[in-house]
Amino acid sequence: MILSLLLLTQTVPAFAASAPTLRAEAAVMMSGDGGVLYAKNADTRRLIASTTKLMTALVCLENTSIDDVFTAQERHCRVEGSSMYLKAGERYTVRELLLGLLLSSGNDAALALAEYTAGSEGAFVQMMNRKAQELGLRDTHFENPHGLDAKSHYSTASDLARLMLVCMENGAFRSLAVQRSAEVKGLTLLNHNKLLTLCPGCVGGKTGYTRAAGRCLVSCCERDGMRLACVTLSDPDDWNDHRALYDWAYANFTLHDLHAEFSFDVPVISGSRSSVRVVPAPGSAAVLPRDRETVIRAELPRFVFAPVSAGEAAGTLTVLRDGDAAVTFPLIYAGDAALADPCIRIFDREESSS
């Protein structure tokens, strides 16, 4: 039997300041818990240019060693568009190619990494699409590893934000994406992501541009332990729009440790103790508005039969935004409740009947 509780936490009963007006055709601001703080045409499929390389980097990192060595071929050097200027016959580590991919947005690096990882560009693209499905990116499809325009090559602002948050969980990706410059084979690679300098707390991102896609930008920012991802597609003023959205979000939302802030007691039947505590799983943290009412719904049993073990699933805790479920976290039992000694249970019944 499940009991549904509505728990209200409120601060000042007022509305947050309005979000800035953006020039982007599509945009989203997403918190690390997956909640959407701002959206504009966020689920509309669009061309995404070189922001594609986020998935290229992730698939490569998950399927190769960063110290592996690869020899560049002439065909890699002939890919049109932005380049890290690979030299045919030169040997490069996967790390060097990833730097060329993420900092200089090298299309040559993208093709080289694809062929090294999967044996061919086509096989690698299949890996990219499988990874997109695995991550639940339902409105994303790739035709190449670099992002040059193609009819069935698309994603959405929402999917790219989710992808960025996954990338930031990869330590190797984080260490590469945050670098402002790097030396590779005597060449200095400069990171195209100007937000690393312009925006306090920016820890990574990926630029993109084609004439058809317009200016595309995916970024990630961390302030006071709160991680946010921002995406703008076809935005002529993307640097300023990202800065404005981050400043707005950090002024109007705050990170709450739900594991520390919420707990419930559930009665135990036939147990060595009368109740057991239920808490959100460790790491459960939600980004909530600073100055308006937020509803948290807990769904957990009215009672539970012993035995109970710490860490077992007990229910769910859901954050509601504007009446809709924004993000859900598991509730777990915080302690053990063994089955009561049968002799004690018999003695108790005899005492109560006398």
Side-chain angles (χ1 to χ4, degrees):
M1 186 177 296
I2 299 294
L3 170 64
S4 179
L5 300 177
L6 287 181
L7 306 173
L8 301 184
T9 61
Q10 72 177 62
T11 54
V12 181
F15 292 101
S18 297
T21 300
L22 307 185
R23 297 178 64 186
E25 292 294 327
V28 74
M29 171 70 75
M30 189 174 291
S31 58
D33 59 29
V36 176
L37 309 186
Y38 172 90
K40 176 183 179 182
N41 300 324
D43 297 318
T44 301
R45 294 178 178 180
R46 300 188 61 87
L47 296 171
I48 59 171
S50 285
T51 61
T52 295
K53 293 173 177 128
L54 292 172
M55 182 63 85
T56 303
L58 181 64
V59 172
C60 179
L61 284 167
E62 291 183 345
N63 292 278
T64 68
S65 170
I66 202 165
D67 295 319
D68 288 353
V69 178
F70 175 78
T71 302
Q73 305 297 316
E74 184 63 36
R75 63 181 176 277
H76 304 138
C77 307
R78 292 198 300 264
V79 183
E80 65 177 292
S82 55
S83 179
M84 70 171 290
Y85 300 104
L86 291 178
K87 297 178 181 179
E90 187 78 69
R91 290 165 60 82
Y92 297 86
T93 64
V94 168
R95 180 181 182 278
E96 289 172 331
L97 292 173
L98 285 167
L99 285 168
L101 181 84
L102 295 173
L103 275 63
S104 298
S105 198
N107 293 342
D108 51 353
L111 180 59
L113 286 167
E115 292 190 356
Y116 176 73
T117 303
S120 71
E121 181 181 8
F124 186 81
V125 170
Q126 290 180 5
M127 294 174 69
M128 295 171 72
N129 286 319
R130 284 198 298 269
K131 187 64 180 180
Q133 292 178 356
E134 177 188 321
L135 296 177
L137 308 183
R138 298 183 182 89
D139 292 302
T140 296
H141 187 269
F142 300 103
E143 284 198 25
N144 60 63
H146 38 65
L148 291 176
D149 297 334
K151 182 178 180 180
S152 296
H153 191 101
Y154 56 79
S155 187
T156 67
S158 292
D159 277 3
L160 286 173
R162 295 186 187 99
L163 175 59
M164 184 67 199
L165 291 170
V166 172
C167 287
M168 292 304 294
E169 293 297 322
N170 186 296
F173 179 93
R174 288 199 309 273
S175 67
L176 294 168
V178 76
Q179 295 189 39
R180 299 184 184 184
S181 64
E183 294 288 330
V184 174
K185 307 301 183 190
L187 295 177
T188 300
L189 307 180
L190 298 178
N191 199 323
H192 292 181
N193 180 17
K194 295 180 180 180
L195 290 178
L196 292 171
T197 301
L198 297 175
C199 182
C202 182
V203 290
K206 186 70 195 72
T207 60
Y209 174 80
T210 66
R211 181 174 298 179
R215 292 179 60 88
C216 302
L217 180 60
V218 180
S219 67
C220 185
C221 193
E222 295 179 3
R223 299 179 193 173
D224 299 324
M226 186 164 75
R227 178 178 291 176
L228 302 177
C230 183
V231 180
T232 52
L233 300 177
S234 188
D235 184 356
D237 197 22
D238 49 10
W239 305 121
N240 288 326
D241 283 348
H242 277 239
R243 292 169 63 189
L245 266 179
Y246 281 127
D247 288 344
W248 166 80
Y250 283 111
N252 290 283
F253 294 83
T254 186
L255 184 67
H256 287 256
D257 183 353
L258 302 183
H259 178 72
E261 295 179 19
F262 288 91
S263 66
F264 313 90
D265 289 319
V266 174
V268 178
I269 306 299
S270 301
S272 58
R273 54 197 300 181
S274 61
S275 66
V276 63
R277 194 162 61 96
V278 171
V279 298
S284 298
V287 175
L288 305 177
R290 289 183 183 272
D291 56 1
R292 71 172 184 261
E293 188 177 85
T294 299
V295 177
I296 308 291
R297 183 179 67 203
E299 295 187 6
L300 63 162
R302 291 181 182 274
F303 55 83
V304 63
F305 288 96
V308 175
S309 298
E312 285 184 349
T316 58
L317 192 73
T318 302
V319 177
L320 303 179
R321 293 196 181 110
D322 300 322
D324 297 323
V327 61
T328 298
F329 301 93
L331 289 170
I332 62 171
Y333 294 107
D336 299 323
L339 198 61
D341 190 317
C343 296
I344 295 176
R345 295 205 300 273
I346 293 172
F347 178 77
D348 286 343
R349 285 199 296 270
E350 290 175 347
E351 283 291 314
S352 62
S353 63
S354 61

